[in-house]
Amino acid sequence: MKFSNEFLFGAATAAYQVEGAWDQDGKGLTNWDEFTKIPGKTFEGTNGDVAVDHYNRYKEDIALMAEMGLESYRFSISWARILPNGTGEINQKGIEFYNNLIDECLKHGIVPFVTLYHWDLPLPLEKDGSWLNKKTVDAYVEYAKVCFEAFGDRVKHFITFNETVVFTALGYLAGAHPPGITNDPKKYFQATHNVFYAHALALIEYKKLNQFGEIGLSHVFSPAFGVDDSEENQFAQMHANQFSTNWFYDPILLGKYPEYVVHELEKLGYVPDWTQEELDTIAQAAPLNDFMGLNYYQPQRVEKIDASFEGEEITRENSTGSPGNPSFDGVYRTVKMDNKRYTKWDWEISPEGFVSGLEMLKEQYGQIKLYITENGLGDEDPIIEGEVCDIPRINFINDHLVAVKAAIDSGVNIKGYYAWSAIDLLSWLNGYKKQYGFIYVDHQNGLARKKKASFHWFKDVIATRGENLKR
């Protein structure tokens, strides 16, 4: 079993989670700079003011990635570092930092894979209505064009948005992310539409520049499976996939919203306030997508909720990704099953669900080019005699790479795999309690970097093209 030489082995991070330097060199404030300072929002009050100081230590970090043999580094750009107010005057120091980061990658033969938006919105735009305001769409397109023109001569892979479902659902349903609004489905669906419209406009602008790169976006990939074959739970599976997959993938890949979901939203009064021009733009942009990025951690196991069920509302406290929550419309809930494997955070470990989901995706959308832009294990890594022994992470990534290869062998068009994450980072609301990286960061010792067991293992995987993976 070997991956082709064209297949990219990479790892990923996000600006707010690693850069720090929150007010350095002219960077503006973001929604997360403010949100994490609100008492009780994060684990032990942690925030990204310093994070792991990647802004000042990127050369050291890129050198470690190169030592690991990493072929590509997926990182995000902080919008407020480029445009401190969200629009208007460009901060040249911000442009300079990302030029240096890109050049450092290229110096080591690492392909830069750039995400334009990974949840950190310039604070003035957040205050002016965030993704509910169409002005944010216009500001995003302005920002994207600045990035294309500044970096597109060397960056040939752009992701417009990361995980729309997360920053909109946690922002407008759970209140766990900015802007901290709870249980407002109308705003949730409006925000998702505005993001898809912004994606479409940015895509069209990118293609005008003829930079001969590729552009797409990254979605959560969490396919739903009924807990059994009963009619009601197969309905729950269909309904869940329509709302959590089709609503997000159809407008991007097919250029239109799924009829089933639109019909349900009409009944509930949650249809976004969209214009025909916006819908036409989304349709126009769909064929221009070069790829779709998939962020896969776990599937959903779902059951239909019966009339007697009295579930909790979606809140910050229960929106951790673990099963047990009802859907926003009370039709189904996710379930933890006795015969499945789970992480310490109750996320299901399911390479087999990954393969089934990928085949489902191929059946619905055809041979779209895919990159696995995130996949990894959040854990509390044990340190034994000074060594970081993250064996569960090795086993997790091994099994999911085997799943990726099985999907490729069955005809799914996957061109790369990006582990989450390259280095231990701020896990948003979880602070530093949860580790994901190949590189350990010692917060008790000046943020010193240390190679984990998984670092050496992944280096061998890349060098041998996966030949030694355990099936």
Side-chain angles (χ1 to χ4, degrees), residues 12 74-75 113-119 140 157-167 195-196 199 215-221 248-249 252-253 289 291-296 369-375 418 420:
R74 178 188 165 219
F75 60 89
F113 212 112
V114 169
T115 306
L116 295 177
Y117 186 80
H118 199 130
W119 308 356
Y140 174 82
H157 307 272
F158 282 105
I159 292 167
T160 55
F161 289 92
N162 181 75
E163 296 187 343
T164 306
V165 67
V166 174
F167 69 84
V195 169
F196 300 152
H199 164 79
I215 188 168
L217 90 173
S218 286
H219 273 328
V220 166
F221 185 52
F248 291 90
Y249 287 67
I252 307 305
L253 298 176
N289 283 281
F291 67 87
M292 176 69 80
L294 306 183
N295 293 357
Y296 177 82
K369 182 191 288 187
L370 301 173
Y371 291 96
I372 310 307
T373 42
E374 286 184 29
N375 175 247
Y418 291 78
W420 187 268

Side-chain angles (χ1 to χ4, degrees), residues 30-323:
T30 72
N31 53 353
W32 278 91
D33 289 322
E34 180 183 71
F35 191 75
T36 55
K37 308 289 173 56
I38 300 170
K41 289 295 184 187
T42 68
F43 176 71
E44 294 182 343
T46 42
N47 61 55
D49 287 4
V50 176
V52 298
D53 200 27
H54 186 58
Y55 185 84
N56 295 301
R57 302 174 71 151
Y58 71 92
K59 288 188 178 182
E60 176 186 0
D61 293 338
I62 298 298
L64 283 165
M65 293 179 204
E67 183 184 338
M68 186 165 51
L70 217 61
E71 296 171 333
S72 184
Y73 175 35
R74 178 188 165 219
F75 60 89
S76 78
I77 291 174
S78 174
W79 184 344
R81 211 177 277 291
I82 302 292
L83 294 163
N85 295 311
T87 62
E89 188 175 350
I90 296 170
N91 176 30
Q92 291 302 328
K93 284 281 190 183
I95 298 284
E96 181 183 328
F97 168 70
Y98 291 110
N99 272 329
N100 290 340
L101 179 60
I102 290 161
D103 290 345
E104 195 69 19
C105 287
L106 294 173
K107 184 175 92 176
H108 288 282
I110 296 171
V111 174
F113 212 112
V114 169
T115 306
L116 295 177
Y117 186 80
H118 199 130
W119 308 356
D120 49 343
L121 185 69
L123 191 58
L125 296 176
E126 181 72 44
K127 297 293 191 186
D128 201 22
S130 191
W131 288 105
L132 299 177
N133 190 338
K134 300 286 173 79
K135 287 181 183 175
T136 302
V137 173
D138 297 334
Y140 174 82
V141 177
E142 175 192 336
Y143 157 65
K145 285 167 68 177
V146 169
C147 291
F148 297 150
E149 287 162 7
F151 313 126
D153 57 330
R154 287 151 296 143
V155 173
K156 299 303 175 186
H157 307 272
F158 282 105
I159 292 167
T160 55
F161 289 92
N162 181 75
E163 296 187 343
T164 306
V165 67
V166 174
F167 69 84
T168 55
L170 295 187
Y172 297 99
L173 294 178
H177 283 198
I181 292 170
T182 57
N183 299 299
D184 198 329
K186 173 72 174 176
K187 287 179 179 174
Y188 163 66
F189 286 102
Q190 184 66 55
T192 59
H193 165 70
N194 289 348
V195 169
F196 300 152
Y197 179 46
H199 164 79
L201 289 169
L203 205 65
I204 291 165
E205 290 301 323
Y206 180 72
K207 293 299 179 179
K208 287 179 186 173
L209 296 173
N210 292 319
Q211 291 187 334
F212 306 104
E214 55 180 24
I215 188 168
L217 90 173
S218 286
H219 273 328
V220 166
F221 185 52
S222 188
F225 303 98
V227 295
D228 58 35
D229 293 332
S230 66
E231 185 177 339
E232 60 266 30
N233 290 332
Q234 287 304 295
F235 171 80
Q237 173 180 313
M238 181 279 296
H239 188 86
N241 280 321
Q242 283 284 328
F243 275 87
S244 61
T245 298
N246 295 82
W247 175 259
F248 291 90
Y249 287 67
D250 282 18
I252 307 305
L253 298 176
L254 305 180
K256 59 185 180 181
Y257 288 97
E259 289 179 14
Y260 176 85
V261 178
V262 173
H263 180 64
E264 292 296 306
L265 295 183
E266 285 171 347
K267 290 193 292 187
L268 295 165
Y270 297 151
V271 176
D273 299 321
W274 49 37
T275 67
Q276 191 57 49
E277 180 187 357
E278 290 165 4
L279 295 173
D280 290 346
T281 300
I282 286 170
Q284 177 192 348
L288 304 178
N289 283 281
D290 295 302
F291 67 87
M292 176 69 80
L294 306 183
N295 293 357
Y296 177 82
Y297 292 94
Q298 62 172 336
Q300 303 175 76
R301 307 291 173 180
V302 298
E303 67 178 10
K304 192 169 187 313
I305 293 174
D306 64 34
S308 65
F309 175 77
E310 293 185 11
E312 300 177 43
E313 287 187 323
I314 302 171
T315 66
R316 180 181 72 81
E317 288 74 19
N318 64 20
S319 58
T320 60
S322 60

Side-chain angles (χ1 to χ4, degrees), residues 223-471:
F225 303 98
V227 295
D228 58 35
D229 293 332
S230 66
E231 185 177 339
E232 60 266 30
N233 290 332
Q234 287 304 295
F235 171 80
Q237 173 180 313
M238 181 279 296
H239 188 86
N241 280 321
Q242 283 284 328
F243 275 87
S244 61
T245 298
N246 295 82
W247 175 259
F248 291 90
Y249 287 67
D250 282 18
I252 307 305
L253 298 176
L254 305 180
K256 59 185 180 181
Y257 288 97
E259 289 179 14
Y260 176 85
V261 178
V262 173
H263 180 64
E264 292 296 306
L265 295 183
E266 285 171 347
K267 290 193 292 187
L268 295 165
Y270 297 151
V271 176
D273 299 321
W274 49 37
T275 67
Q276 191 57 49
E277 180 187 357
E278 290 165 4
L279 295 173
D280 290 346
T281 300
I282 286 170
Q284 177 192 348
L288 304 178
N289 283 281
D290 295 302
F291 67 87
M292 176 69 80
L294 306 183
N295 293 357
Y296 177 82
Y297 292 94
Q298 62 172 336
Q300 303 175 76
R301 307 291 173 180
V302 298
E303 67 178 10
K304 192 169 187 313
I305 293 174
D306 64 34
S308 65
F309 175 77
E310 293 185 11
E312 300 177 43
E313 287 187 323
I314 302 171
T315 66
R316 180 181 72 81
E317 288 74 19
N318 64 20
S319 58
T320 60
S322 60
N325 287 333
S327 59
F328 81 95
D329 55 0
V331 170
Y332 69 91
R333 66 171 173 172
T334 53
V335 177
K336 183 176 180 180
M337 300 181 70
D338 292 338
N339 63 342
K340 306 297 181 188
R341 295 184 296 148
Y342 292 86
T343 72
K344 291 175 189 172
W345 272 263
D346 276 344
W347 289 23
E348 186 185 339
I349 301 171
S350 182
E352 60 279 7
F354 196 13
V355 176
S356 299
L358 286 165
E359 290 173 347
M360 185 192 310
L361 213 59
K362 181 190 166 195
E363 192 177 309
Q364 289 189 37
Y365 301 109
Q367 284 286 37
I368 181 76
K369 182 191 288 187
L370 301 173
Y371 291 96
I372 310 307
T373 42
E374 286 184 29
N375 175 247
L377 177 67
D379 205 354
E380 293 175 291
D381 297 334
I383 301 175
I384 301 169
E385 294 182 2
E387 297 301 320
V388 187
C389 301
D390 59 336
I391 307 308
R393 179 166 299 108
I394 291 173
N395 294 333
F396 183 98
I397 294 177
N398 178 95
D399 293 352
H400 284 79
L401 280 172
V402 169
V404 167
K405 188 63 169 67
I408 292 170
D409 291 345
S410 72
V412 181
N413 187 20
I414 304 172
K415 294 299 185 184
Y417 173 92
Y418 291 78
W420 187 268
S421 55
I423 186 170
D424 283 347
L425 36 67
L426 175 76
S427 190
W428 301 103
L429 305 178
N430 285 296
Y432 303 101
K433 181 179 173 65
K434 195 177 189 181
Q435 290 94 56
Y436 278 96
F438 294 122
I439 300 164
Y440 173 74
V441 177
D442 189 345
H443 288 267
Q444 308 307 314
N445 184 27
L447 304 178
R449 275 57 168 158
K450 186 176 181 65
K451 292 171 269 190
K452 300 184 186 180
S454 61
F455 178 103
H456 304 288
W457 173 83
F458 200 55
K459 179 177 182 176
D460 178 73
V461 169
I462 298 168
T464 63
R465 312 309 299 164
E467 190 173 23
N468 298 330
L469 290 169
K470 295 175 185 171
R471 289 178 179 269

